[in-house]
Amino acid sequence: MKESEKVIEAKLREAVKQRGGVALKILSQYHAGLPDRLVLLPGSRAFFVETKSTGCKARLLQKKAHEMLRSLGFSVYVIDSTEAVSDLMQLIDLERLGL
């Protein structure tokens, strides 16, 4: 089933909020291609998330921005379903526990 980017972003915001964090919308007129959200969690944890409608992929400009952020040491995730949001949150929870 195809899910819209809006639905996936809402699920992400809620999952982050449940963990005591915020998923800030990134709007930049100066640097195109940045991910949709900057996620900030307790314990100084920060990463970027690009949300896409189910089956859609990041554009070349977005991929270049993701590469730039990764080269600076940041994690960047691209998700295209509410299931991927759950998987990402499980990964983040395991990392927090040091597993």
Side-chain angles (χ1 to χ4, degrees):
M1 181 173 94
K2 186 167 180 157
E3 296 175 303
S4 73
E5 186 172 335
K6 182 178 179 179
V7 167
I8 296 164
E9 274 198 77
K11 172 85 174 188
L12 175 67
R13 286 191 317 271
E14 182 57 34
V16 170
K17 182 179 178 182
Q18 288 176 355
R19 286 161 178 79
V22 293
L24 303 172
K25 181 77 173 171
I26 299 175
L27 302 171
S28 176
Q29 63 189 29
Y30 303 109
H31 198 288
L34 291 175
D36 297 308
R37 297 279 169 172
L38 169 59
V39 176
L40 304 173
L41 292 169
S44 302
R45 294 180 297 148
F47 57 92
F48 294 90
V49 178
E50 179 71 47
T51 56
K52 292 289 184 190
S53 296
T54 304
C56 294
K57 304 294 180 194
R59 297 184 321 271
L60 180 59
L61 185 62
Q62 291 172 319
K63 288 179 182 181
K64 288 183 183 228
H66 299 173
E67 288 172 17
M68 181 264 303
L69 291 168
R70 287 181 179 124
S71 74
L72 294 171
F74 293 100
S75 295
V76 180
Y77 302 96
V78 179
I79 57 175
D80 71 348
S81 67
T82 53
E83 182 180 338
V85 172
S86 297
D87 292 345
L88 174 59
M89 291 298 105
Q90 286 180 357
L91 175 66
I92 298 305
D93 291 343
L94 289 173
E95 287 177 355
R96 180 181 58 83
L97 296 172
L99 302 174

